[in-house]
Amino acid sequence: MLKVGIVGVSGRMGHNLIECAQGMDSIKVTCGIDRTVALPAGESLEVVGSVPELSALPDAFIDFSRPEATLGVLQAAVGHHLMMVIGTTGFDEAGKREINRAAHEIPIVMAANFSVGVNVLLALVRRTAEIMQDADLEIVEAHHRYKVDAPSGTALAMGEAAAKGRGVSLKDVMVAGRDGITGERPYGSIGFASVRGGDIVGDHTAMFCTDGERVELTHRASSRATFARGALRAALWLEGRKPGLYSMSDVLSLS
Ligand code: NAD
């Protein structure tokens, strides 16, 4: 049985992970890392603020927290040769580099979105961008009012997939957060728009617009359990893997 520790255990995803793992024989949540202790009713886990405070280490950490928490746990995971599943979004370039470096030492699955449906969507976005080279591509995402980063990690992953399909670099063509006199839309750009409100779990649409028609590819998540199940599946998949940075498409054999 795989023993996992949840980073961000007191948060929305942390609670979903605990609940989803309860129905599994192959995995056991043995501890949590969080700056606050707020567990689902009836749950009694060891929850501490940092890895050195744990009385016993897990085999793997599943992390849905904030970048600063992730990077702290990552260092400890490298030190103890533990596997890691990273779902947290919003890393800056230095943070991404740190994760890449750690992946030389330990196996890591990192995904902006752990749902199976979104990973199918990413493959479709890449292919459509490749076929509809001239279409204006706009990516629209909507999330609950508590989300702190924008565009969402999934929206950025859709942009990366489309850029790959077009053989360009996303950072060269990305336009996010339009406001005021923006001028005309640059040819070949990939636009991003973010909606925040209520309890929206996560909606993502890629709009490929040309003169006379448009194709829209949409995914809507209605429950966080879809991300939790994917992350637990990724943790099980990691067992016995060599160090490296893996994606959810590796886990699902979509690559
Ligand atoms: P949340 O705010 O409900 O939970 C985050 C938890 O992390 C909180 O309990 C908080 O106390 C804890 N935390 C924050 N900073 C910390 C620190 N420095 N040290 C220790 N603990 C700390 O958020 P959430 O909705 O559960 O989402 C968490 C992250 O997961 C976000 O980055 C979100 O974008 C991402 N997310 C990813 C996916 C995916 O499929 N990859 C799905 C959903 C959410």
Side-chain angles (χ1 to χ4, degrees), residues 16-35:
N16 267 277
L17 284 157
I18 289 175
E19 277 153 25
C20 288
Q22 271 161 359
M24 296 170 73
D25 297 331
S26 48
I27 217 159
K28 185 170 169 56
V29 177
T30 57
C31 59
I33 306 281
D34 207 298
R35 60 183 171 194

Side-chain angles (χ1 to χ4, degrees), residues 8-14 33-36 49 64-66 68-69 86-89 111-115 144 147 149 224 227:
V9 70
S10 303
R12 284 174 290 264
M13 280 304 301
I33 306 281
D34 207 298
R35 60 183 171 194
T36 61
F64 285 83
S65 59
R66 292 287 179 271
E68 61 276 19
I86 301 178
T88 298
T89 60
N113 196 307
F114 277 94
S115 96
H144 52 88
K147 186 161 178 64
D149 53 321
R224 282 184 184 81
F227 311 127

Side-chain angles (χ1 to χ4, degrees), residues 17 86 109 112-113 120 133 141 174 207:
L17 284 157
I86 301 178
V109 176
N113 196 307
V120 171
Q133 286 279 345
E141 53 101 347
M174 174 169 176
M207 302 170 66

